[in-house]
Amino acid sequence: MLVTNIALCFLALFISVSASENSVEYYQNLLQEFLKNASQWEQPTDSRRFFKLIDEHEEAIHYGHYDFIIVGVGVAGSVLVNRLTESGKFKVLALEAGLRENDFTDVPGFATYLVRSDFNWGYKTVPQANACHGLRNKQCNYPRGRAVGGSSVINYMVYTRGNKEDFNKWGIRNQGWDYKGVLPYFKKTENSSLDFEDAGYHGHHGPLSVETAKYYPEIANIFLKSAKQRGRKILDYNGRDQNGYSRFQMMTRKGSRWSANKAFVASAMYRENFELLDHSLGIKILIKDYKAYGVEFIRDGKKYKATASKEVIICGGTINSPQMLMLSGIGPKEHLNELDISVVQDLPVGKNLYDHQVYIALLFSTNISTQNEPSTEEHIKHYLEGHGLLTVVSAFTVVGYESPRVKTKSPRVEYAFFSGHIEEAAPFFADFLQMTEENWQAISKPLAGKYMLGVFPILLHPKSKGTIKLKTKDPLDFPLLDSNCYSDKNGEDMKEMLSAIKDVFQLSKTPAFQSIDSKYVSDPLPACKEYKHLSDDYWRCALKQLTYPGLHPVGTCKMGPKSDKTAIVDNKLKVYGINGLRVADASVIPVTLAAHTTAASYMVGEKASDLIRKEHGDL
């Protein structure tokens, strides 16, 4: 039986009562139970882990009629849920394939474990030609949130918007999406309480809590001190200038995860004009005479359809949105014909996957003592007090933005800084990244028992481009994801990453880092032993082994003018050739951003809401 809004309200009340048990023992038991389940978790290879269709030939049951249907309640979808229902003028149905977050997902320090849970879709790339060779089966693990709130329920909560030059580039061919046009929407979303901020660049009354990272070990000061010693600025990277260093700005509230669900969906749940169906997989957009009029979805083993008088809005994200468009006959003609899918509109859906590229193995030993470290019990107590290690993920605390190879206004590389005991990092490298055991031993064995620091160089504007394709026309099959790192024609991406690695080594040689005896001590990677250790040839080999996509995908439903043969949607997010259909999520972003993409997804949701409400007389 389908869950009603009333039942969901009682469920939310129960969860809030459960959360009031804020005791150390409660969270210790929560962690133990989760780890027990995680040890038995097997990564899915398709959606049949979550959904089953009892009779695929059975005619869809008509569920109801609405003004708007939103498919996917991730970050942008959560914003739309709230904004389109707040006036009470429209009747809205939202479909979400995932489940509800809980007390465990609220703890930032537990996020690494969520990769081994059903909050994660469980995607992997296809085996890669030039990256992830040191990971299992040469595949890159690609966690995506399967929850109300989407990836904001499992991600690392970093709030970075992107450089103003990125948005100005976006806005050249897409009116209204330049920096001047999008900044008000970033500010509208944000409820900022930062230790330091540039006046005029942040909002303080929005629903999304943004605060300075609540964990700040002394080694973070050393990282910032080393930046100063190299003449770099300490700044608000979401303010006037991005080129410099700072503590991370986090989407947390008093050190606890503040997801899109908490920020936007929770306050809409009691509205009579809104209905949310979780555990519901959208499988097809219903289209007649080039007009979207509804959606088919699976829930509880049955197939349903819901209809919409105004619009269907697809918010599945950079992987799921192109999948649903293609399943509905909107996509590359040749690809759909191969799968015997009737072509409704020939568009290059899924052909422009852009993602950042990260080298995941720059770890340095230090002489910092590992004695008298807090216990798990003490870490939990600190979390309940709103500070400490568990208020961040994997001790990521400080960030820098640089352009070590070619100086540009928009930084080319992000340096994400983390620290801790190498043994504590094992879940991240072994489970999250799925590094092979021999590579993990080469990296970690020389660091055993030591307090280490790590710097992840993240290539922000790679030229390489990947794809999303359908495996079959069965909606329960995962799509084929190819991040295709280091595939650019002239090898510029690898050259840029090599420059970044050399720059990190220069950073490690500053007086600040030498004061803690910073050294790179990892053994050569097994596949690269034929090269002189740490030579350029060695690093080129290592980059193929342990470069990983940044999990910040954009572009698979690219925005652009009608003259752009690579575009799927226009600057109002409308799908070309189909009336009543929009896409609103990170998949529409047409350029790489010097940012993690969650903040930009909130912005897309906010701007989309205004575009839709204005068109339908609600603004």
Side-chain angles (χ1 to χ4, degrees), residues 583-599:
V583 179
D585 53 39
S587 72
V588 307
I589 299 174
V591 298
T592 53
L593 301 177
H596 305 213
T597 47
T598 305

Side-chain angles (χ1 to χ4, degrees), residues 199-225:
Y201 287 86
H202 292 272
H204 301 93
H205 305 289
L208 178 66
S209 175
V210 178
E211 58 189 11
T212 306
K214 294 295 184 182
Y215 177 61
Y216 194 55
E218 181 56 32
I219 197 170
N221 273 329
I222 291 173
F223 185 79
L224 295 179
K225 187 176 180 180

Side-chain angles (χ1 to χ4, degrees), residues 279-551:
H279 295 85
S280 300
L281 179 68
I283 59 173
K284 188 177 182 180
I285 304 161
L286 300 175
I287 302 169
K288 184 177 182 181
D289 297 329
Y290 300 100
K291 167 73 164 69
Y293 69 91
V295 174
E296 282 189 358
F297 63 97
I298 298 172
R299 199 170 199 276
D300 295 334
K302 296 182 180 180
K303 184 163 59 176
Y304 296 87
K305 68 177 179 181
T307 53
S309 58
K310 291 183 170 36
E311 294 189 24
V312 173
I313 309 164
I314 306 301
C315 303
T318 306
I319 297 174
N320 296 99
S321 285
Q323 180 189 24
M324 189 163 186
L325 290 181
M326 288 188 283
L327 288 169
S328 306
I330 303 169
K333 182 178 180 179
E334 69 281 2
H335 181 45
L336 299 184
N337 284 338
E338 289 172 358
L339 299 176
D340 197 27
I341 297 174
S342 298
V343 179
V344 177
Q345 191 69 24
D346 181 13
L347 291 171
V349 173
K351 286 192 172 184
N352 290 283
L353 173 64
Y354 289 105
D355 200 351
H356 297 152
Q357 297 173 188
V358 188
Y359 184 69
I360 56 176
L362 285 185
L363 309 180
F364 298 81
S365 67
T366 75
N367 62 9
I368 295 174
S369 173
T370 59
Q371 301 298 316
N372 302 318
E373 286 292 312
S375 64
T376 299
E377 182 178 345
E378 289 172 310
H379 282 313
I380 293 173
K381 182 181 179 183
H382 294 161
Y383 165 73
L384 295 173
E385 295 169 347
H387 64 92
L389 180 64
L390 293 182
T391 63
V392 297
V393 186
S394 298
F396 281 96
T397 52
V398 185
V399 65
Y401 290 96
E402 293 268 14
S403 298
R405 186 162 176 253
V406 179
K407 299 302 178 184
T408 56
K409 290 183 179 179
S410 178
R412 304 293 302 177
V413 179
E414 174 184 317
Y415 296 150
F417 175 82
F418 65 104
S419 59
H421 306 288
I422 191 64
E423 292 79 11
E424 294 171 348
F428 175 77
F429 287 94
D431 291 333
F432 192 98
L433 298 175
Q434 298 193 359
M435 186 180 291
T436 63
E437 179 64 22
E438 60 179 359
N439 280 300
W440 171 239
Q441 287 301 321
I443 292 166
S444 65
K445 194 173 180 180
L447 291 163
K450 298 179 180 179
Y451 191 93
M452 60 89 188
L453 64 92
V455 182
F456 281 1
I458 304 172
L459 201 60
L460 297 172
H461 298 293
K463 292 180 170 59
S464 300
K465 183 170 63 175
T467 58
I468 300 289
K469 294 181 178 180
L470 296 179
K471 182 178 181 181
T472 71
K473 64 179 180 179
D474 187 333
L476 297 183
D477 281 335
F478 281 171
L480 299 173
L481 166 60
D482 186 1
S483 58
N484 208 23
C485 297
Y486 298 133
S487 62
D488 59 307
K489 186 175 180 180
N490 297 317
E492 293 297 313
D493 290 349
M494 186 166 285
K495 292 175 186 175
E496 187 133 43
M497 186 65 88
L498 186 57
S499 294
I501 288 173
K502 292 178 179 179
D503 193 51
V504 170
F505 272 83
Q506 291 302 312
L507 185 67
S508 74
K509 293 175 183 177
T510 58
F513 275 124
Q514 287 307 300
S515 71
I516 54 172
D517 196 25
S518 169
K519 293 178 182 176
Y520 183 80
V521 297
S522 293
D523 291 336
L525 299 180
C528 305
K529 287 183 177 180
E530 64 184 280
Y531 304 106
K532 181 182 177 182
H533 193 38
L534 308 187
S535 67
D536 284 3
D537 286 339
Y538 171 82
W539 284 118
R540 291 186 189 98
C541 173
L543 288 174
K544 288 188 176 183
Q545 292 294 307
L546 296 178
T547 293
Y548 184 84
L551 307 180

